[in-house]
Amino acid sequence: MPNLEQKPFALFNGYIEIPSRVPYKPDEYSRLQTLAASELLRRGKIETAVFLAGDVPSESNPGSDVYGGIGQRMAAQLRRNLPNLPESAIVLIPVAKSTRAEVRKFRQLAKEKGWTNLMVVGKESHLERVQRAINRIFRRRSKTIRAVSQESILTQFPRYSKIIDAVRDSQEEKAFSKRETLINTIDKLPIIGGLVLDLMNADGVKILESKIHRVLSRKPEDSKKTS
């Protein structure tokens, strides 16, 4: 059971908008995630923001870290937003390359450090898969762990309404949502769904997502040009 006297330790999933022909990427490098972390820390709603997302490979060079460590970028932006944060307010271990890997590492950290009050923050379009990962990896403890969307946190503050709308309406986010629908089809398979994603090495998953994203983010006129 969570210790209610302990403020939540919150895992913030890392996202990067995979480059496409769309020049405007409003949520590049998890901007909304970092803003949500800023608001929760500023108001004392969480004890610590946890960033576990690591490097992301490129489609052309699977072994590369062309996008850099997403977790490092998120933590650095959080420091810029809240320069007076104590060191203990951020845990940065940028090793994970998938949703399940982030949740699995989060469970390990919680056990090692004695964290009992846990929450996971993700995109609203990704929250179904996040919750499924929590249920599978934490198992009996899963019902005590909250999965919360970055949008539900930020909509409490009117000043974020424009950027939330911009992200939701962007071609990048629409492509992300379609990509999630496809990946969820695999992940929902009873018993083997999560294992299938694990068996596909992390780099392979990201490259698959990149390829799917490129197809889904094409504008109709682009498809006509290539046909």
Side-chain angles (χ1 to χ4, degrees), residues 56-67:
V56 176
S58 70
E59 182 177 342
S60 60
N61 187 0
S64 75
D65 60 349
V66 67
Y67 301 136

Side-chain angles (χ1 to χ4, degrees), residues 11 50 52 93 95-96 99-112 115 137-138:
L11 168 63
V50 181
L52 303 177
I93 307 176
V95 296
T99 298
R100 284 171 61 83
E102 283 181 288
V103 175
R104 194 175 288 114
K105 182 65 176 178
F106 191 42
R107 182 187 65 178
Q108 177 189 335
L109 285 174
K111 183 176 180 180
E112 290 174 355
W115 300 342
I137 292 167
F138 279 90

